[in-house]
């Protein structure tokens, strides 16, 4: 299926967005580490000293630029095309983490990157054309249909449970808690971003949509969701390895966003079954690549210890030395912690 002019613009903007966002993960991670070293309180346990760290703000500005490009991309192309292209951010993040953060990328991780690229190409080739929308009120009608309202209600309930029940109990030991909150809220933010972006696009074309309250409602939803996403993404980045956070966040976020877009905008209506199947296969290929990229973390952890032995978890001695504050434990610090404990004994 040939790409329309709008789809081409959306693809280019989405690729640029992924490059900026992938780089921002690394810059922000460096900033978080500097802030934690200076203040002694990490973002993962509620610290906000990173707000005074210039490097963190550089990462934030980089992410804002990427998100701005992504925002405009949604105004030109459907979410089922723009969102999966975020796989490039995984590749950028993994490669930069390999060279800058010394979070080594295994050879199988390179294969995972190739799979992400191949799956993204398949999705681009078979993506649906952008649906013509003439007003924000038309989008509001889509957002208030019973199927999408059911999805929104389910998302809000799950976020409430994750924030108030699972986050205090296992948020610092299970990466899915923080990233689940980010992804669920992210799926709603993308739908609102697309609605807001389309409204601004129509306004710039001479059809003013700023006079409608629906436009400002979508703006409020975007701000609320983005702030929530940034808060819990910072916690995830500070608590877990970047090579783990990036692909898992991509998998959850992309899956939920495509689901929300299919429900709200009915992106697959009018497409041939072959094209839909090809898109699904491409998406599965991308997911497989991200899972493979994630699994290589264990390989590198094993190879980083002499003699091929790698402790899967901190020993009892290490746990006794660091006390109950397990969130400050870092796998990369295991040899150092063990040495300190032995000296204390």
């Amino acid at each position: 299926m040939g790409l329309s002019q709008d789809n081409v613009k959306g693809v280019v903007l989405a690729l640029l967005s992924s490059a900026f966002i992938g780089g921002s993960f690394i810059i922000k991670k460096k900033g978080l580490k500097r802030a934690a070293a200076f203040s002694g309180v990490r973002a993962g346990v509620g610290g906000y000293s990173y707000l005074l760290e210039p490097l963190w703000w550089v990462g934030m500005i980089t992410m804002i630029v990427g998100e701005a490009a992504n925002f405009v991309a949604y105004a030109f192309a459907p979410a089922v095309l723009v969102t999966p292209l975020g796989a490039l951010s995984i590749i950028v993040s993994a490669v930069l983490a390999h060279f800058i953060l010394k979070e080594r990328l295994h050879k199988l991780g390179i294969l995972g990157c190739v799979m992400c690229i191949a799956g993204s190409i398949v999705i681009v080739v078979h993506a649906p054309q952008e649906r013509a929308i003439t007003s924000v009120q038309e989008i509001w009608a889509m957002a208030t249909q019973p199927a999408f309202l059911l999805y929104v209600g389910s998302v809000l309930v799950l976020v409430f449970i994750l924030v108030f029940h699972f986050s205090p109990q296992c948020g610092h030991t299970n990466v899915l808690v923080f990233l689940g909150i980010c992804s669920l809220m992210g799926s709603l933010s993308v739908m609102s971003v697309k609605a807001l972006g389309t409204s601004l696009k129509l306004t710039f074309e001479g059809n003013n949509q700023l006079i409608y309250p629906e436009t400002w409602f979508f703006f409020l939803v975007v701000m609320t969701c983005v702030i929530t996403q940034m808060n819990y993404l910072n916690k995830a980045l500070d608590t877990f390895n970047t090579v783990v956070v990036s692909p898992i966040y991509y998998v959850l976020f992309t899956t939920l966003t495509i689901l929300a877009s299919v429900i709200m905008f009915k992106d697959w209506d009018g497409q041939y079954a072959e094209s839909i199947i090809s898109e699904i296969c491409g998406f599965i290929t991308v997911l497989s690549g991200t899972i493979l990229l994630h699994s290589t973390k264990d390989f590198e952890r094993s190879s980083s210890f002499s003699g091929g032995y790698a402790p899967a978890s901190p020993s009892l001695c290490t746990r006794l030395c660091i006390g109950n504050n397990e969130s400050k434990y870092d796998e990369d610090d295991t040899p150092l912690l063990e040495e300190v404990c032995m000296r204390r004994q």
Side-chain angles (χ1 to χ4, degrees), residues 49-273:
S49 60
Y50 59 85
L51 295 175
L52 301 177
E53 174 57 48
L55 188 60
W56 183 86
W57 282 107
V58 172
M60 177 59 68
I61 292 173
T62 304
M63 175 169 282
I64 291 173
V65 172
E67 293 293 352
N70 203 45
F71 176 87
V72 180
Y74 281 112
F76 288 98
V80 295
L81 171 59
V82 174
T83 306
L85 293 180
L88 179 61
S89 66
I90 300 174
I91 299 172
V92 173
S93 179
V95 172
L96 292 179
H98 177 84
F99 291 104
I100 298 177
L101 300 180
K102 307 305 179 184
E103 297 175 0
R104 297 303 179 186
L105 182 62
H106 193 271
K107 292 180 179 179
L108 287 179
I110 299 176
L111 176 60
C113 292
V114 173
M115 292 176 65
C116 290
I117 295 175
S120 297
I121 292 174
V122 173
I123 293 172
V124 169
V125 172
H126 296 279
Q129 302 298 331
E130 173 69 340
R131 177 179 177 179
I133 298 176
T134 58
S135 70
V136 68
Q137 292 176 321
E138 184 178 346
I139 302 177
W140 180 257
M142 299 176 186
T144 54
Q145 58 183 311
F148 188 70
L149 289 177
L150 178 61
Y151 175 81
V152 172
S154 302
V155 166
L156 295 178
V157 170
L158 287 174
V159 168
F160 183 85
I161 294 174
L162 288 173
V163 170
F164 294 102
H165 179 70
F166 288 102
S167 181
Q169 293 185 1
C170 55
H172 297 93
T173 57
N174 191 332
V175 68
L176 294 178
V177 176
F178 291 154
L179 295 184
I181 298 171
C182 292
S183 302
L184 288 166
M185 296 300 289
S187 66
L188 298 183
S189 70
V190 168
M191 297 303 100
S192 300
V193 161
K194 184 168 180 60
L196 184 60
T198 303
S199 299
L200 294 177
K201 177 186 175 184
L202 292 172
T203 299
F204 292 142
E205 291 175 350
N207 185 5
N208 187 12
Q209 301 296 306
L210 301 180
I211 60 175
Y212 298 110
E214 291 86 352
T215 300
W216 299 103
F217 176 81
F218 286 126
F219 174 77
L220 179 62
V221 173
V222 168
M223 295 303 297
T224 302
C225 292
V226 167
I227 292 173
T228 304
Q229 282 179 265
M230 290 302 99
N231 181 40
Y232 284 95
L233 182 58
N234 283 330
K235 291 179 181 292
L237 282 171
D238 188 61
T239 307
F240 303 99
N241 194 303
T242 307
V243 177
V244 176
V245 171
S246 298
I248 294 180
Y249 180 46
Y250 170 78
V251 171
L252 293 176
F253 173 74
T254 305
T255 302
L256 292 170
T257 298
I258 290 179
L259 175 62
S261 183
V262 169
I263 295 174
M264 179 174 172
F265 291 98
K266 299 183 175 14
D267 292 319
W268 286 343
D269 284 7
Q271 267 201 300
Y272 293 111

